[in-house]
Amino acid sequence: MATLILVRHGRSTANTSGVLAGRTPGIALDERGAAQAAALPGRLADVPLAAAVTSPLQRCRETLRPLLDARPGLPLHVEDRISECDYGDWSGRKLAELNDEPLMEVVQGHASAAAFPGGESMRAMQDRAVAAVRDWNARVEAEHGEDATYLMCSHGDIVKAIVADALGLHLDLFQRIHVDPCSVTAIRYTRLRPFLLRLGDTGDFAGLAPREHPGGGSAEVGGGAGAP
């Protein structure tokens, strides 16, 4: 079956302002995010890609633009099922204030039971994203062969949910996974099982340095802004 390259979008203006963007329109890459996107074609230069699939949101499309410019023959497909989690009433709010919401404890420790007010549940988010991956695996294999590789550009929680499924992890454990902006994750799917080949690879180890405010062990909803 196919090999999937998962790219989280580059750093966005919402990441740097500490806002949970969700599906809010008009969220673009910031200056660093644009630089991350510009570096993506070089990082993937040795990887043949059969197709690119993107979330419909602006920050994902902007992340893929340099790659598509470098590979003018690469077909691009928009896939609604890998769009950002619908955070409902939480969308557009500061993460700092959301940390005081009782629901945040459920999101952190029991994600399979978390449902955002006016939005969707984290279980529904994972179900649709994993279904999209399975459908695209089958499509890419049918059109390009079982050794084909394709790329999806999506969002932090979506990437983490797909990785958790590939590893056989319960959704309640998915907050143990971390992927920085414009990181590359690779999963090779086979008849027997998926193999996680790369996880959150940015080629930059600055994010491993101690942080001034480490966050006390909580996962950043939406994925965080990466290294400063």
Side-chain angles (χ1 to χ4, degrees):
M1 298 176 69
T3 296
L4 169 62
I5 306 294
L6 281 166
V7 177
R8 184 186 168 198
H9 63 77
R11 197 173 74 174
S12 73
T13 54
N15 294 143
T16 46
S17 60
V19 168
L20 185 62
R23 298 181 179 180
T24 305
I27 302 296
L29 299 184
D30 67 6
E31 185 176 351
R32 178 169 182 171
Q36 290 170 334
L40 191 60
R43 293 170 61 199
L44 296 176
D46 294 331
V47 182
L49 295 174
V53 184
T54 184
S55 157
L57 296 180
Q58 178 180 340
R59 52 197 183 272
C60 288
R61 290 174 175 271
E62 290 182 353
T63 299
L64 288 189
R65 190 170 298 149
L67 180 65
L68 296 171
D69 288 344
R71 302 194 190 196
L74 182 64
L76 178 66
H77 308 272
V78 177
E79 174 57 78
D80 290 340
R81 291 177 294 175
I82 61 168
S83 187
E84 179 64 285
C85 183
D86 184 355
Y87 297 115
D89 297 344
W90 279 27
S91 299
R93 293 179 60 186
K94 288 280 189 180
L95 288 163
E97 69 180 45
L98 290 173
N99 286 332
D100 296 328
E101 294 280 354
L103 178 60
M104 183 60 84
E105 186 173 345
V106 182
V107 171
Q108 292 292 330
H110 194 26
S112 65
F116 296 98
E120 70 178 333
S121 69
M122 301 199 88
R123 172 61 69 191
M125 174 199 74
Q126 183 185 45
D127 287 347
R128 63 173 166 81
V130 169
V133 168
R134 289 174 179 160
D135 288 348
W136 277 100
N137 283 348
R139 176 173 173 177
V140 168
E141 181 180 0
E143 295 179 1
H144 302 279
E146 62 181 12
D147 293 328
T149 299
Y150 73 106
L151 179 147
M152 279 186 170
C153 186
S154 189
H155 308 269
D157 281 347
I158 298 290
V159 174
K160 289 162 56 178
I162 292 170
V163 170
D165 173 78
L167 292 176
L169 291 178
H170 196 282
L171 184 60
D172 289 350
L173 303 179
F174 101 125
Q175 298 289 24
R176 301 183 182 193
I177 300 166
H178 181 79
V179 289
D180 275 340
C182 221
S183 62
V184 173
T185 294
I187 304 170
R188 177 173 295 136
Y189 289 87
T190 74
R191 303 298 175 193
L192 290 177
R193 63 184 63 86
F195 292 90
L196 182 63
L197 306 178
R198 297 285 190 279
L199 176 62
D201 189 342
T202 63
D204 178 3
F205 294 100
L208 301 181
R211 299 190 181 188
E212 184 178 354
H213 303 290
S218 293
E220 296 182 78
V221 180

